[in-house]
Amino acid sequence: MAHRLEQYTAKRPHEVLIVRAEIDGELDEIAIFKGFSSSLTRQTAFDPDVPILPEGANIISIDRVASPYNPESPRYIQQGLTWEIIQPLLLQAGV
């Protein structure tokens, strides 16, 4: 999941994805931009090969936000997408 979302943002550098997910019973909010992921609520590993969004994570929602991302005043493209709803966008991007 994370790899596909990162690939999507690499192909769509004008977008930031804000992913809300449950990971090991804890809520996390992850920003994905230009192919890279960073947790907004937990510590992010320095090694880019360590997935921020591991397999088995439960994605609660995905927001598409225009870049540059300003957390004080985000410019939403779409909000509250589920993993199932974002699939056609990923396919359109070829990921």
Side-chain angles (χ1 to χ4, degrees), residues 41-92:
T41 56
R42 300 187 328 173
Q43 189 172 15
T44 301
F46 290 109
D47 183 353
D49 292 331
V50 174
I52 300 292
L53 188 64
E55 290 299 322
N58 178 31
I59 293 179
I60 297 166
S61 68
I62 302 169
D63 295 339
R64 296 173 61 211
V65 182
S67 173
Y69 174 62
N70 177 352
E72 299 297 321
S73 180
R75 295 175 296 141
Y76 291 102
I77 299 167
Q78 285 183 295
Q79 289 182 271
L81 303 174
T82 63
W83 179 247
E84 291 76 23
I85 292 173
I86 203 164
Q87 293 300 310
L89 291 171
L90 299 177
L91 291 173
Q92 283 176 346

Side-chain angles (χ1 to χ4, degrees), residues 3-49:
H3 182 68
R4 289 184 69 199
L5 295 172
E6 288 172 347
Q7 287 181 320
Y8 174 84
T9 61
K11 292 184 175 198
R12 301 276 197 304
H14 61 281
E15 287 187 38
V16 178
L17 297 178
I18 304 297
V19 179
R20 286 168 204 78
E22 184 180 343
I23 301 170
D24 297 329
E26 293 184 30
L27 293 178
D28 197 355
E29 192 169 68
I30 299 163
I32 305 175
F33 178 60
K34 290 188 177 182
F36 295 96
S37 298
S38 180
S39 175
L40 299 175
T41 56
R42 300 187 328 173
Q43 189 172 15
T44 301
F46 290 109
D47 183 353
D49 292 331

